[in-house]
Amino acid sequence: MTTHPTLSDIDRYAGGDPGLDEATVWSIEVHLEGCADCRARLAGSTTAESRALIAEVAVAVDREIAAGPAPRRSHAGIRQRVLVVALLPWVAMTTTVLVTAALLSHLLPEMPSLVLLLAPLAPLPGVAAAWSRRLDPAWELIAGTPSAGLAMLLRRTAVVLALVIPVLAGFGAGQGELALMLLPCLAFTAATLLLGSLVGVHRAAIGLMVAWAAVVVAPSLATAELPVLLEPAATGAWAVATVALAALTLLRAGQFRRLTTF
Amino acid sequence: MRAVSTAETAATTHPWAVHAEGLKVRAGRHLAVDGLDLSLGTGVHGLLGPNGAGKTTLMRAVATVLKPCGGRLTLLGCAVDGRADLRPARRALGYLPQHFGFYPRFTVREFVSYMAWLKEMPKAGIGEAAQRAIDRVGLAAKADARLRTLSGGMLRRAGIAQAIVNDPQVLLLDEPTVGLDPEQRLDLRELLRDLGTDTCVLVSTHLVEDVAAACTEVVLINEGRLVWQGTPGALASLGDDGHAGDSAAERGYSALLRRHRAEAAR
């Protein structure tokens, strides 16, 4: 930082005094660029002539801005749209299945709650669609970009969860089983991502859905009893499983940079 | 006019933009690239080879989409064959896949902007860069048309626009001339020559005359191995009237392949 020019120098600079030599003008200009205080002093010493010029320029700039093309709308909307458009059919399908399950449970009160049995699987079709070679047409383009990776997958998964969880929460609050409705669903989402880092998210989602249907849903429908896993006592275990699976997924973040998980 | 950052003016510390040593890449179970040695610098490199030679698999490996199962591959000095961070190399990469998928409801501008965002370009520059890329491929009149309304040749050009939107240092174009009419092909050659002055461009194609006209170097591969690398002029001088083909370059191409197959048979 140079020493501040004197007020009289600034006055002479503002007035365009021909007596001021070029070297002094340059040093004042360099100083003004970096010193707000001196710029304020300069504003106080401007002549009527230069104020009129500045006002004229301001009017001209405003006129050009008004006449020019409107500023382009932001591109932020595109990113959300691609997700919503691609995922909406899957989420809509899930919601339909859940509503049907709720209706069936209502008609057959002696059976265990179908919604509770299917809730853990609710986000999986959407998660599979979010990161799938078959369902994302631009997979080959995306797989070669620096954004491809766990952060992108998590962003897409968050969109799916944001669409699915309100539906589940609606059913859960109605039956007073909010935690049992949501925790298994989060645990299964984390498990899909973790397993997906090994065999691909699409395959992981299908595998987990088949396994849960065969091991838990089918037997409990056959015996007409809710499994131990979905009793209120199991809530703590589901919470621990969710946190552990999520942590393990983060440890395997590097695996998601390549095509193999698609 | 745009400010030039220090990163752009820094001296390069790598001798080749793309460097492969004993590269092996699987396509499914088949070893499509099998011990390929290749060094590419600045310029337009035409990748030639018969069907099933491993061109697309090689492109995918260089585009960091496929992980090599053996050998070494470096892009702009960054190793991209192991567990290393791929992001610096991917930021400097442009890739047009052979069959490129797209979101049919997007307009050309939205598609190119979305790809620019995925390539982690600074947000403030995306709109301008997308417009410039669309202008360069001659799609300005269709910039706000939806992708599903475009013809095959226009889609191909939209694909090239997304590949060049981030001013890549390594540009990979897999069959860029498919679906282009003769005039558009001439425009593309012009664009390739222009890009090749400061970029490493690798163009895979079946059209020998495109290579002869627009490329500074020819790379011929067969069965996953490098067969020959040299200038288009040297390729043309290899053939004589006894070889199949309608142009000097085509005769050179068939002469090389025939010689290679004869050597392999021995």
Side-chain angles (χ1 to χ4, degrees):
Chain A
M1 178 65 67
T2 49
T3 51
H4 298 282
T6 62
L7 201 57
S8 72
D9 275 348
I10 289 183
D11 271 337
R12 289 167 71 192
Y13 173 78
D17 185 348
L20 218 54
D21 65 285
E22 272 182 34
T24 315
V25 170
W26 290 340
S27 72
I28 291 176
E29 269 171 9
V30 168
H31 179 83
L32 284 172
E33 280 177 13
C35 179
D37 290 344
C38 287
R39 282 202 297 273
R41 266 177 233 136
L42 174 70
S45 341
T46 44
T47 58
E49 199 182 330
S50 42
R51 275 197 293 274
L53 178 67
I54 290 169
E56 201 176 312
V57 169
V59 168
V61 167
D62 284 345
R63 195 175 54 228
E64 288 300 316
I65 289 174
R72 203 192 307 288
R73 61 203 156 81
S74 110
H75 296 283
I78 303 171
R79 308 196 285 273
Q80 275 81 41
R81 220 180 73 209
V82 63
L83 295 179
V84 173
V85 167
L87 301 178
L88 216 51
W90 298 92
V91 175
M93 185 198 81
T94 311
T95 312
T96 316
V97 169
L98 286 176
V99 170
T100 317
L103 280 176
L104 275 176
S105 301
H106 189 69
L107 293 175
L108 305 165
E110 71 281 4
M111 292 293 279
S113 164
L114 264 178
V115 182
L116 201 55
L117 280 173
L118 293 179
L121 307 182
L124 298 200
V127 173
W131 203 249
S132 160
R133 229 184 271 202
R134 291 181 195 83
L135 300 172
D136 188 340
W139 60 271
E140 200 174 350
L141 288 176
I142 290 172
T145 61
S147 314
L150 183 61
M152 190 180 200
L153 175 58
L154 287 181
R155 213 161 37 227
R156 293 181 168 199
T157 306
V159 173
V160 175
L161 288 179
L163 293 168
V164 169
I165 282 185
V167 179
L168 285 180
F171 287 123
Q175 302 179 5
E177 291 164 330
L178 197 58
L180 265 186
M181 203 60 105
L182 295 186
L183 279 175
C185 143
L186 292 179
F188 263 71
T189 308
T192 306
L193 300 189
L194 180 61
L195 197 57
S197 72
L198 295 169
V199 299
V201 174
H202 191 93
R203 272 182 238 165
I206 292 175
L208 284 175
M209 284 197 278
V210 170
W212 178 258
V215 175
V216 176
V217 179
S220 64
L221 286 183
T223 58
E225 266 175 47
L226 211 54
V228 189
L229 280 173
L230 292 174
E231 297 291 343
T235 315
W238 282 111
V240 172
T242 308
V243 173
L245 288 167
L248 285 174
T249 307
L250 290 182
L251 285 180
R252 294 189 56 83
Q255 297 297 314
F256 289 96
R257 292 199 202 106
R258 292 282 189 178
L259 193 61
T260 41
T261 59
F262 247 99
Chain B
M1 188 62 83
R2 137 191 111 84
V4 178
S5 70
T6 45
E8 286 172 271
T9 54
T12 51
T13 53
H14 46 86
W16 304 104
V18 177
H19 186 57
E21 279 177 289
L23 184 69
K24 292 183 180 179
V25 193
R26 282 182 200 287
R29 292 192 180 160
H30 171 62
L31 198 60
V33 175
D34 184 9
L36 182 90
D37 298 303
L38 186 64
S39 307
L40 302 174
T42 302
V44 184
H45 310 273
L47 184 62
L48 287 175
N51 275 330
K55 296 193 294 292
T56 293
T57 308
L58 173 62
M59 285 290 210
R60 282 184 173 172
V62 178
T64 72
V65 172
L66 288 182
K67 187 176 175 176
C69 61
R72 290 177 52 193
L73 178 63
T74 52
L75 281 186
L76 305 164
C78 306
V80 293
D81 44 17
R83 291 165 163 270
D85 191 8
L86 301 167
R87 286 161 70 126
R90 280 180 171 173
R91 278 196 204 109
L93 204 64
Y95 176 41
L96 172 71
Q98 189 172 19
H99 304 288
F100 92 98
F102 54 88
Y103 305 110
R105 288 162 190 273
F106 272 36
T107 67
V108 175
R109 194 195 305 281
E110 284 170 344
F111 173 62
V112 176
S113 308
Y114 181 59
M115 289 308 298
W117 177 74
L118 286 179
K119 292 180 186 189
E120 298 185 341
M121 292 184 71
K123 255 181 205 159
I126 286 182
E128 203 182 319
Q131 183 63 48
R132 197 154 43 92
I134 292 168
D135 284 343
R136 282 184 97 173
V137 298
L139 267 186
K142 288 278 181 184
D144 291 311
R146 294 198 190 282
L147 289 174
R148 62 164 176 230
T149 64
L150 299 188
S151 71
M154 288 178 185
L155 270 180
R156 212 73 202 140
R157 283 187 284 156
I160 297 169
Q162 66 78 25
I164 62 174
V165 69
N166 56 336
D167 290 321
Q169 288 170 272
V170 175
L171 177 62
L172 309 163
L173 303 173
D174 203 346
E175 307 269 359
T177 48
V178 172
L180 299 188
D181 66 34
E183 194 191 357
Q184 290 164 356
R185 265 172 62 198
L186 294 181
D187 290 343
L188 179 70
R189 286 179 192 174
E190 193 57 46
L191 178 64
L192 286 180
R193 281 188 213 109
D194 185 20
L195 289 167
T197 55
D198 60 351
T199 309
C200 170
V201 188
L202 184 60
V203 190
S204 145
T205 180
H206 281 300
L207 301 171
V208 181
E209 64 265 42
D210 279 343
V211 170
C215 296
T216 52
E217 195 177 47
V218 181
V219 176
L220 179 63
I221 66 171
N222 189 29
E223 288 164 355
R225 285 204 179 83
L226 182 69
V227 174
W228 189 82
Q229 191 172 5
T231 62
L235 177 72
S237 67
L238 286 173
D240 54 45
D241 290 340
H243 295 107
D246 294 327
S247 67
E250 280 178 359
R251 284 191 285 274
Y253 172 77
S254 24
L256 258 180
L257 264 189
R258 195 187 292 179
R259 196 175 76 194
H260 173 72
R261 284 179 179 145
E263 278 170 15
R266 256 191 285 135

